């Protein structure tokens, strides 16, 4: 018990005094996961909206594949990206293996299905409510999907926060493609695993506390955004019904 308390106190000291190694690992983690989420937003938001409003042959099969990818093991993603970026792989000449770029690629592949699936659900529900209204204003499915992306921006913000939480807590893929190189590709999750195996419990605990803090902040932000969105919808329902703001501006 004394050893545990001592480790916790030492970990808190590392956080309070902004240990250089701790800051380096945390900053790389935030940078890699943040970049991956930005890239995933570009693919996932557009793809999810398209699946919500478009009708095409093979759509149901695409949805089945998308839902399956939600449970995609991170180590499988890491293995596939490793094979693609290795010297014998098709992208080996790029020299990206064991770099932060490779870690961004792996996390992007993991996060895109999450963003796309949750976006599709949000836009599909909104399309059921406002699809006829948008079509009456002359908006096609592509334009309607784009307008709904804007009108559902608060819901989609919670999607991106959840995606960031998924990315920053991932360990398997980044361990494989990044190599967990000190000062280069070591992030919070891989550092926790390494330092625990080495017996450096204070640093592992400090990183764990920071990671839990990040997750806590994300959950608080999600709750705040949801409450904000619910309050905004309540005010809108209490007033006179009108066309969607984005649709009204586009029609005008």
């Amino acid at each position: 018990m004394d050893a545990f308390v001592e480790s916790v106190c030492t970990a808190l000291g590392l956080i309070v005094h902004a240990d250089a190694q701790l800051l380096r690992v945390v900053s790389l983690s935030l940078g890699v996961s943040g970049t991956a989420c930005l890239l995933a937003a570009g693919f996932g938001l557009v793809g999810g909206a398209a699946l919500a409003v478009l009708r095409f042959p093979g759509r149901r099969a695409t949805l089945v594949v998308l839902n399956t990818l939600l449970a995609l093991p991170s180590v499988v993603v890491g293995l596939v990206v490793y094979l693609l970026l290795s010297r014998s792989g098709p992208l080996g000449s790029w020299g990206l293996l064991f770099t932060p770029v490779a870690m961004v690629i792996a996390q992007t592949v993991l996060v895109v299905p999450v963003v796309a699936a949750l976006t599709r659900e949000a836009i599909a529900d909104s399309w059921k409510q406002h699809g006829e209204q948008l079509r009456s204003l002359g908006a096609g499915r592509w334009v309607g999907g784009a307008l709904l992306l804007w009108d559902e921006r608060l819901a989609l913000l919670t999607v991106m926060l959840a995606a960031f939480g998924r990315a920053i807590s991932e360990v398997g893929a980044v361990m494989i493609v990044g190599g967990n190189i000190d000062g280069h590709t070591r992030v919070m999750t891989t550092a926790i695993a390494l330092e625990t195996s080495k017996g450096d419990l204070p640093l592992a605990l400090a990183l764990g506390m920071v990671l839990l803090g990040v997750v806590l902040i994300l959950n608080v932000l999600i709750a705040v955004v949801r409450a904000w969105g619910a309050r905004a919808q309540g005010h809108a329902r209490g007033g006179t019904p009108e066309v969607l703001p984005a649709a009204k501006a586009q029609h005008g």
Side-chain angles (χ1 to χ4, degrees), residues 6-23 26 195 200-210:
E6 182 181 354
S7 297
V8 171
C9 292
T10 305
L12 291 173
L14 292 175
I15 296 174
V16 170
H17 295 95
D19 179 74
Q21 184 180 3
L22 179 69
L23 291 179
V26 171
E195 299 305 328
D200 190 354
L201 297 182
L203 180 55
L205 278 172
L207 290 167
M209 290 176 184
V210 173

Side-chain angles (χ1 to χ4, degrees), residues 121-214:
E121 184 177 353
I123 300 302
D125 291 341
S126 186
W127 181 257
K128 290 178 182 178
Q129 298 177 16
H130 306 295
E132 290 296 331
Q133 184 184 64
L134 290 170
R135 283 193 290 268
S136 69
L137 294 172
R141 289 184 177 271
W142 278 108
V143 175
L147 293 173
L148 290 177
L149 279 174
W150 173 252
D151 283 299
E152 295 295 327
R153 57 192 179 277
L154 290 180
L156 297 179
L157 179 57
T158 65
V159 169
M160 295 312 304
L161 291 172
F164 183 81
R166 168 77 169 96
I168 202 168
S169 60
E170 192 280 323
V171 59
V174 293
M175 179 79 80
I176 294 174
V177 302
N180 199 21
I181 302 172
D182 187 19
H184 186 53
T185 60
R186 185 165 297 170
V187 293
M188 283 190 283
T189 51
T190 60
I192 290 172
L194 177 65
E195 299 305 328
T196 301
S197 65
K198 289 166 53 180
D200 190 354
L201 297 182
L203 180 55
L205 278 172
L207 290 167
M209 290 176 184
V210 173
L211 184 58
L212 285 174
V214 171

Side-chain angles (χ1 to χ4, degrees), residues 71-162:
L72 187 64
S74 60
V75 290
V76 174
V77 173
L79 176 60
V80 172
V81 175
Y82 179 91
L83 293 174
L84 291 174
L85 299 180
S86 63
R87 288 186 178 182
S88 58
L91 305 179
S93 59
W94 293 5
L96 297 178
L97 193 61
F98 303 135
T99 67
V101 176
M103 299 161 67
V104 169
I105 294 172
Q107 287 196 357
T108 301
V109 173
L110 277 172
V111 171
V112 164
V114 176
V115 176
L118 295 179
T119 299
R120 186 205 69 81
E121 184 177 353
I123 300 302
D125 291 341
S126 186
W127 181 257
K128 290 178 182 178
Q129 298 177 16
H130 306 295
E132 290 296 331
Q133 184 184 64
L134 290 170
R135 283 193 290 268
S136 69
L137 294 172
R141 289 184 177 271
W142 278 108
V143 175
L147 293 173
L148 290 177
L149 279 174
W150 173 252
D151 283 299
E152 295 295 327
R153 57 192 179 277
L154 290 180
L156 297 179
L157 179 57
T158 65
V159 169
M160 295 312 304
L161 291 172

Side-chain angles (χ1 to χ4, degrees), residues 51 54-66:
L51 286 172
L54 299 180
R55 298 296 181 267
F56 54 88
R59 179 176 177 274
R60 289 187 177 181
T62 303
L63 292 177
V64 170
V65 172
L66 178 61

